[in-house]
Amino acid sequence: MGAPAVDHDALLAAALAGVEAEDGAGLAVAVRDLESGQSAAYGTARFETASIVKVDILATLLLQAQDADRRLTAQEETYAAAMIENSDNASATALWKAIGSAAGLDAANERFGLIGTDGGDGPLWGLTRTTAADQLVLLQQVFGDGSELSDASRAYLRELMGRPAVGQDWGVSAAGSGFALKNGWLPRTATGLWVINSIGRVTADGRAHLVAVLSNGNTTKAKGVALVEAAAKAAVSVFAAEDAGRAETVAAPVRQPRWESLPARKPR
């Protein structure tokens, strides 16, 4: 008989048991080991994206450009670099309009294989709703095989994600080295609580991983960043553990996310 199948979801839940979250904070995590192709996920709730949606916006723009058999214009490239590297909101708004806002994003996501993501209403791209599992699918489009995006489009996105501005390189980067990422941070107007998200690729122990960590209900940005970074480290450890198959299944002590329906402040 072969070795028993490893329940990576259970291992991730066990790893997250050691991650402390504030009372009322919500957390969802997804991770894929690119070498083995194995994945793990924790949490199915949908979260506001804040600025991690900027990766999706650029992926959509690149897909639309491919369909039209054209290159990005110089202005689009300027917007794209500012949006991904510096998280510039004005550039994101310009490209959000260029792709057809939520309708354009949703159409591209259907082709990418995202099933739980809906573009934000009107100009509110930062209030796009998504799941950690969907963000892993999006990362696979950028960093994995079998993508709807061309090799050139994927290389372009990877390059920009590998050059975050100083002070914006936190998040999944805490789990290893050689990272390429995009973060999002957004204080909600109604409560003052923070949405803190991070998605990207990171190398740990010589193995590349795709990691998506979504959180909300954080009382400060700093506490949200600490939660996301601890969760990213826990996620990568699932595939690094030598005795992973023997880990116990433990429910992680995090709360379900809070939902607010009032407008948010301008996302970053």
Side-chain angles (χ1 to χ4, degrees), residues 191-237:
T191 63
L193 299 175
W194 286 78
V195 171
I196 302 291
N197 302 324
S198 184
I199 61 171
R201 184 204 63 208
V202 62
T203 300
D205 297 323
R207 298 167 71 97
H209 301 79
L210 304 180
V211 186
V213 184
L214 311 180
S215 76
N216 64 11
N218 302 287
T219 58
T220 67
K221 179 182 176 183
K223 289 181 178 179
V225 170
L227 172 61
V228 164
E229 292 188 338
K233 292 177 183 177
V236 168
S237 75

Side-chain angles (χ1 to χ4, degrees), residues 23 77 83 171 184 191 246 254 259:
D23 185 35
E77 289 184 343
M83 177 177 72
T191 63
R246 299 179 186 176
V254 295
W259 305 116

Side-chain angles (χ1 to χ4, degrees), residues 97-111:
K97 293 177 181 177
I99 65 171
S101 302
L105 189 84
D106 292 346
N109 282 342
E110 184 174 354
R111 292 169 63 182

Side-chain angles (χ1 to χ4, degrees), residues 41 45 61 114 134 148 173 187 193 224 236:
L61 179 68
L114 280 65
D134 262 14
E148 292 287 321
S173 56
L193 299 175
V236 168

